[in-house]
Amino acid sequence: EMQLVESGGGLVQPGGSLRLSCSASGFTFNNYCIHWVRQAPGKGLESVSAINTIGTNIYYADSVKGRFTISRDNSKNMLYLQMSSLSVEDTAVYYCAKGGPYCNRGLDYWGQGTLVTVSS
Amino acid sequence: QSVLTQPPSVSAAPGQKVTISCSGSNSNIAKNFVSWYQQLPGTAPKLLIYKDNERPSGIPDRFSGSKSGTSATLGITGLQTGDEADYYCGTWDNSLSAGVFGGGTQVTVL
């Protein structure tokens, strides 16, 4: 069974940092682009970042460029999102989602999400 | 402001049909496959339609997708109370080099 399990969310002060992790199982992890998508409370979906199969092509939303870093460890079937200089606008549920063999394809499986709250 | 434009809400009686539009541009919908996602209250999004009009296994044929130029449409026939959810369109934007979503459409079964 395919699974994506996010972890690492929590409460952090403005200006702080946090590292999210996503553990994948049930599929050949290194064959797929993996995405981070977030959803602020009561709001819609926002694409945050994506990384291709071998980590050579990386994409970021303008809202997080220079502050967030996506990475993956194919030997461990893990995806990461290092977040720094966090602001209240970054408060959201963060989902990792499995894409296609290329990052411009749809997201066919989503994790349950991890909540990040930025507040003083 | 979302890159893709969807109506905020649509509604219909049980058994009826609804359509949800998704408007984009030449840099996104016109050049890339469109997907549709269903998000039931309190849950993660779930893929409903991929590659414009394909349904993953387990998705009933009451759900359909189509695309023409810079717009896409999701159709739901035989509306059921269990279809009450938020629906999002999504695709890739070649100019932004990023995934983009619509603002979401809330479907209400009257």
Side-chain angles (χ1 to χ4, degrees):
Chain A
E1 180 192 358
M2 203 178 302
Q3 273 203 316
L4 292 168
V5 180
E6 303 92 339
S7 61
L11 176 63
V12 60
Q13 291 190 335
S17 299
L18 209 57
R19 189 198 199 201
L20 305 184
S21 300
C22 172
S23 175
S25 60
F27 64 99
T28 307
F29 182 73
N30 59 10
N31 282 354
Y32 297 96
C33 176
I34 309 292
H35 298 242
W36 286 103
V37 178
R38 69 184 179 184
Q39 186 170 35
K43 302 296 184 182
L45 302 175
E46 180 187 15
S47 179
V48 173
S49 184
I51 184 168
N52 74 335
T53 56
I54 55 174
T56 53
N57 290 338
I58 286 175
Y59 311 93
Y60 295 105
D62 286 343
S63 57
V64 307
K65 267 180 196 170
R67 301 188 300 121
F68 289 12
T69 302
I70 190 173
S71 61
R72 65 190 295 165
D73 185 338
N74 287 342
S75 68
K76 296 180 180 177
N77 288 358
M78 294 291 296
L79 175 75
Y80 305 101
L81 186 68
Q82 179 67 48
M83 306 185 295
S84 61
S85 301
L86 286 163
S87 71
V88 294
E89 287 77 29
D90 296 314
T91 294
V93 173
Y94 285 73
Y95 297 101
C96 67
K98 173 181 167 286
Y102 305 101
C103 288
N104 62 350
R105 299 295 173 86
L107 308 177
D108 63 359
Y109 193 77
W110 300 58
Q112 288 307 300
T114 186
L115 176 62
V116 172
T117 303
V118 184
S119 174
S120 54
Chain B
Q1 188 99 6
S2 301
V3 173
L4 307 179
T5 301
Q6 297 180 233
S9 64
V10 297
S11 61
Q16 296 300 302
K17 175 181 178 178
V18 295
T19 60
I20 300 171
S21 60
C22 176
S23 178
S25 70
N26 285 323
S27 65
N28 44 63
I29 289 180
K31 296 282 196 316
N32 294 285
F33 290 125
V34 174
S35 299
W36 289 91
Y37 306 92
Q38 177 193 59
Q39 188 175 34
L40 297 168
T43 69
K46 172 185 167 183
L47 180 67
L48 270 186
I49 298 288
Y50 68 101
K51 286 188 178 179
D52 300 339
N53 55 21
E54 301 282 341
R55 281 177 287 106
S57 60
I59 301 300
D61 58 7
R62 300 188 298 106
F63 296 91
S64 64
S66 64
K67 188 176 85 174
S68 178
T70 60
S71 293
T73 300
L74 174 71
I76 311 174
T77 59
L79 205 58
Q80 301 175 0
T81 55
D83 297 332
E84 288 201 325
D86 293 324
Y87 293 81
Y88 295 89
C89 58
T91 187
W92 188 262
D93 191 292
N94 293 344
S95 296
L96 297 173
S97 288
V100 290
F101 292 97
T105 299
Q106 183 176 60
V107 169
T108 301
V109 181
L110 300 172

